Amino acid sequence: MGACASSSTSTTKSGKAVVGGSSRFRRSSAAAKVVHMDGRVQEFRQPIQAKTIISQNPNCFLCSSELMSIGTCVPQVPDDEEIQPGTVYFLLPLSQSHKPLSLPDLCSLAIKASSGGVCKDSSVDLSSSNSKVLVLR
């Protein structure tokens, strides 16, 4: 279960403070993880370009959890960019590419990621530069 709160900092299990959101869905895992719209999570341990994932998911775009901010449009990962190990990505419908991300949208994505096992055995902070923080434990 999770809780939504407003804050500019959060604390990890180890007691380390996270400011702003530099630790969004960041885990020590070596795999890059892609959360699909249906909640399924795909892990990539080898380098792969975003265009490969997008080509298998028409009408979707790929975004990094590291760059999500409430009240702004979610930036698309460029086609030629390799997804990064330890980072969580979301596949979102193209229809949402020009829609600002709301706190309920962010909560929904966090629940999807959590249900898909992205948060298994760890505390996950999902925060934005607009000082909204979602902590799942």
Side-chain angles (χ1 to χ4, degrees), residues 15-38:
K16 182 178 170 185
V18 177
V19 180
S22 60
S23 170
R24 284 174 232 161
F25 282 115
R26 191 80 170 169
R27 294 189 52 197
S28 59
S29 170
K33 297 184 180 187
V34 176
V35 180
H36 291 254
M37 291 188 307
D38 62 4

Side-chain angles (χ1 to χ4, degrees), residues 76-125:
Q76 297 182 26
V77 175
D79 285 346
D80 60 348
E81 186 174 304
E82 284 190 356
I83 62 173
Q84 299 300 306
T87 301
V88 175
Y89 296 85
F90 291 94
L91 275 169
L92 298 176
L94 279 173
S95 61
Q96 291 184 2
S97 64
H98 298 293
K99 176 185 166 199
L101 186 67
S102 69
L103 182 57
D105 293 338
L106 193 62
C107 289
S108 175
L109 291 172
I111 290 167
K112 250 184 218 184
S114 178
S115 298
V118 169
C119 306
K120 194 186 297 184
D121 302 322
S122 70
S123 173
V124 174
D125 294 340

Side-chain angles (χ1 to χ4, degrees), residues 5-73:
S6 247
S7 175
S8 60
T9 62
S10 60
T11 306
T12 63
K13 273 186 179 177
S14 64
K16 182 178 170 185
V18 177
V19 180
S22 60
S23 170
R24 284 174 232 161
F25 282 115
R26 191 80 170 169
R27 294 189 52 197
S28 59
S29 170
K33 297 184 180 187
V34 176
V35 180
H36 291 254
M37 291 188 307
D38 62 4
R40 179 174 47 96
V41 176
Q42 197 172 10
E43 291 189 13
F44 295 92
R45 297 198 180 275
Q46 300 297 321
I48 185 170
Q49 289 187 328
K51 66 182 169 189
T52 304
I53 298 166
I54 297 301
S55 69
Q56 298 168 0
N57 298 278
N59 301 316
C60 292
F61 71 97
L62 190 66
C63 61
S64 169
S65 63
E66 297 287 316
L67 301 176
M68 293 180 157
S69 240
I70 295 170
T72 63
C73 294

